[in-house]
Amino acid sequence: MTQTPATDPAAECNNLTLRKAARYLGATYDKALAPTGLRATQFSILQKLSAHGETTITSLADMTAMDRTTKASNLKPLARDGLVTVEPSASDRRARVVTITEDGLSRTKTALPLWREVQQRFEERFGTEEAARLRALLDGVLGTGFEPWAE
């Protein structure tokens, strides 16, 4: 039996719809940034670090709404490629501090025009006001009170 949108619970699933759009848009940004050797997630990390300077893995995870363990895994290829350093904190041995390197800043600078181009293309096709509203709505999701990474 084929389900119609009215009888298909997945048609109303916020999570599925969000993930489909995220995969679609994420792949678009990945494709645009491919010449730099960066994935969109890596570029976002480097952008955050270039804007905020050194920070702990926990703070970086909070800034990007990600659990600390996943963020630490995402940093490994960036550290391996010399784009960031990850060192123990001088003030708290349990914390690890992430810093963007000169190579990381250079790669971010190279990737920025490619990111701007795909950002502009998306806003032209989706609408500038709609894109701003979408970002605001999605930011609002983060304030719904769920605690997905709480133990």
Side-chain angles (χ1 to χ4, degrees), residues 3-103:
Q3 292 189 323
T4 67
T7 62
D8 181 4
E12 294 182 1
C13 180
N14 300 317
N15 184 52
L16 177 61
T17 302
L18 180 61
R19 287 179 179 263
K20 285 178 4 182
R23 283 190 297 272
Y24 176 84
L25 199 52
T28 301
Y29 278 78
D30 283 343
K31 184 177 178 181
L33 294 170
T36 67
L38 293 173
R39 296 185 53 89
T41 52
Q42 294 171 321
F43 177 72
S44 296
I45 291 168
L46 293 175
Q47 273 193 307
K48 284 289 185 192
L49 289 172
S50 67
H52 295 281
E54 72 177 30
T55 189
T56 64
I57 292 176
T58 301
S59 293
L60 189 58
D62 289 345
M63 283 185 240
T64 56
M66 187 177 285
D67 70 276
R68 187 193 177 289
T69 303
T70 302
K71 183 55 69 183
S73 294
N74 287 345
L75 290 168
K76 287 178 183 176
L78 294 172
R80 180 196 64 227
D81 293 345
L83 304 177
V84 301
T85 60
V86 181
E87 304 290 336
S89 169
S91 60
D92 181 354
R93 289 186 3 214
R94 297 169 298 167
R96 306 206 26 100
V97 175
V98 185
T99 308
I100 191 167
T101 64
E102 287 300 320
D103 285 346

Side-chain angles (χ1 to χ4, degrees), residues 105-120:
L105 287 169
S106 177
R107 185 86 63 96
T108 303
K109 186 176 178 180
T110 300
L112 194 55
L114 301 174
W115 174 85
R116 282 189 178 126
E117 182 180 323
V118 74
Q119 184 85 355
Q120 180 181 346

